[in-house]
Amino acid sequence: MNVTELNATRHSGTDIALPDGRSVPRIGVGGWAMGGPFFLDGRPDGWGDVDDAQSVRALELAYDLGARIFDTADVYGTGHSETVLGRAFAQRRSEIYLATKFGYLYDEATRHVAGSDVSPAYIGKAVQASLRRLGTDYIDLYQIHVGGLAPAAADAAGEALERLAETGAIRAWGWSTDDAAAARRMLAFPHFAAVQQELSLFCDGPDMLTLCEANGLLSLNRSPLAMGFLTGKFGPATAMPASDVRGAGHDWVRFFKQGRPLPEFLARLDAVRELLRSGGRTLAQGALGWILARSPQAMPIPGFKTESQVRDNLGALQKGPLSAATMAEIAHLLAVAEDA
């Protein structure tokens, strides 16, 4: 995308206002995969080996193509994703919107995750570690990574995050959760500005989107391509290796079982494949265009391992949101496929 094309996106419904007031193109970049291997519950929780030099090139390309929000977490690669992201943008920190997450405990040496902690004391330590790895003195958006918290723990975390915002260590904060009722409680805090929710063609989140729209919250969308499923590169014979999170056997991986794409989701994708390709889109661009059309507060943050994936994802900005007619037809065909 050249400068003229990028400027054109700013008039096509593909811009969004960030919590700091900046208006940016409405697709960001997720940093899970570039963290490399790490382990949860004794199983791989990453996306296989990574090439850090390639990750940096891909991040720079994403910036050139319009991405300004880059989301990661301290647990991705147990610190490695943050380190690579900080290295990539060391010379233009103020030009990007940097988001990271905290709450899971891990051993950086063994790359194993072990439990969680969102206590005020832990938050103070975690933010300093993230600032060091990211090579910055402030974080634009600091997010609770643990999705389910008791009200008392959530309130205590919110109070601690407000204190961090007052010191300038963070500018705003959010919560990675799919519980709209729990997120609503956080509206009482003045620096609560965003929710990170799972959102894709296969996993809608209407209650959270309604909350975000009514209260001006940014909705960052994790797994917008359903862990790569919506790129169309998987078929009935696909078998992901056990070193990949999709093949590691985690119960919470919903689109794959033991590394194989579930037949019901293959059928749903087949039902809407041509609609997603409308206007010359790739399947990934159609899936991201669905999110852009789904809500004006929605901002997908697809992950990557290669420059070609970044180029494909950010190409959705030029194509724009799917039309209302296409969205309606997709909804109908998905309902039929799900009932079959």
Side-chain angles (χ1 to χ4, degrees):
M1 187 185 304
N2 60 36
V3 173
T4 301
E5 292 168 334
L6 178 58
N7 288 337
T9 69
R10 300 183 181 280
H11 304 285
S12 63
T14 54
D15 257 26
I16 195 168
L18 295 178
D20 67 2
R22 276 182 283 180
S23 182
V24 299
R26 198 152 58 97
I27 295 178
V29 175
W32 183 3
M34 73 175 183
F38 68 109
F39 302 87
L40 175 68
D41 298 328
R43 303 173 186 269
D45 201 39
W47 300 68
D49 292 331
V50 290
D51 179 334
D52 291 346
Q54 178 171 253
S55 295
V56 170
R57 290 194 302 271
L59 289 167
E60 292 172 341
L61 175 63
Y63 179 91
D64 292 341
L65 294 176
R68 291 296 180 270
I69 184 165
F70 295 84
D71 175 83
T72 186
D74 59 5
V75 76
Y76 297 160
T78 58
H80 190 66
S81 180
E82 287 187 329
T83 299
V84 174
L85 184 56
R87 183 188 313 160
F89 293 114
Q91 302 306 312
R92 48 186 180 191
R93 168 67 185 91
S94 64
E95 299 174 34
I96 67 166
Y97 192 84
L98 191 56
T100 192
K101 300 182 286 293
F102 72 91
Y104 288 104
L105 302 171
Y106 50 86
D107 185 313
E108 288 192 47
T110 66
R111 292 198 168 199
H112 278 77
V113 182
S116 62
D117 190 345
V118 297
S119 67
Y122 177 75
I123 291 172
K125 297 175 184 176
V127 72
Q128 291 303 318
S130 286
L131 289 168
R132 173 179 52 79
R133 285 188 293 260
L134 291 164
T136 184
D137 58 2
Y138 70 97
I139 293 167
D140 293 293
L141 182 67
Y142 199 43
Q143 302 157 97
I144 303 169
H145 203 171
V146 182
L149 295 177
D155 289 347
E159 291 166 2
L161 290 163
E162 285 296 310
R163 289 192 291 272
L164 285 179
E166 290 164 4
T167 68
I170 67 174
R171 300 288 173 84
W173 61 275
W175 191 359
S176 180
T177 182
D178 296 317
D179 186 339
R184 183 178 296 278
R185 288 175 52 85
M186 298 306 205
L187 295 173
F189 294 103
H191 291 92
F192 179 65
V195 171
Q196 188 165 146
Q197 64 176 117
E198 183 175 2
L199 186 70
S200 75
L201 189 73
F202 288 163
C203 181
D204 201 357
D207 292 344
M208 191 69 82
L209 290 174
T210 297
L211 178 72
C212 291
E213 291 166 8
N215 295 280
L217 298 176
L218 177 65
S219 167
L220 294 178
N221 310 137
R222 49 187 159 82
S223 293
L225 298 177
M227 301 187 84
F229 205 114
L230 291 168
T231 64
K233 62 186 177 183
F234 303 117
T238 300
M240 303 299 295
S243 58
D244 187 296
V245 62
R246 295 165 291 189
H250 294 288
D251 292 340
W252 46 266
V253 173
R254 69 172 75 202
F255 308 115
F256 300 83
K257 187 172 181 61
Q258 299 301 328
R260 296 189 177 277
L262 290 172
E264 58 265 37
F265 290 106
L266 287 172
R268 292 176 198 178
L269 180 55
D270 282 342
V272 299
R273 185 181 298 268
E274 294 312 310
L275 288 170
L276 293 177
R277 285 176 167 162
S278 64
R281 294 173 173 86
T282 65
L283 283 177
Q285 290 168 358
L288 295 172
W290 182 90
I291 291 178
L292 295 179
R294 181 66 185 83
S295 168
Q297 294 302 112
M299 186 173 196
I301 46 171
F304 72 93
K305 288 188 74 174
T306 66
E307 292 162 85
S308 63
Q309 290 169 340
V310 164
R311 192 176 297 279
D312 189 18
N313 293 341
L314 271 297
L317 287 171
Q318 187 179 356
K319 299 296 184 181
L322 297 180
S323 69
T326 300
M327 291 290 285
E329 192 168 356
I330 286 174
H332 170 71
L333 291 175
L334 284 178
V336 171
E338 290 170 14
D339 290 340

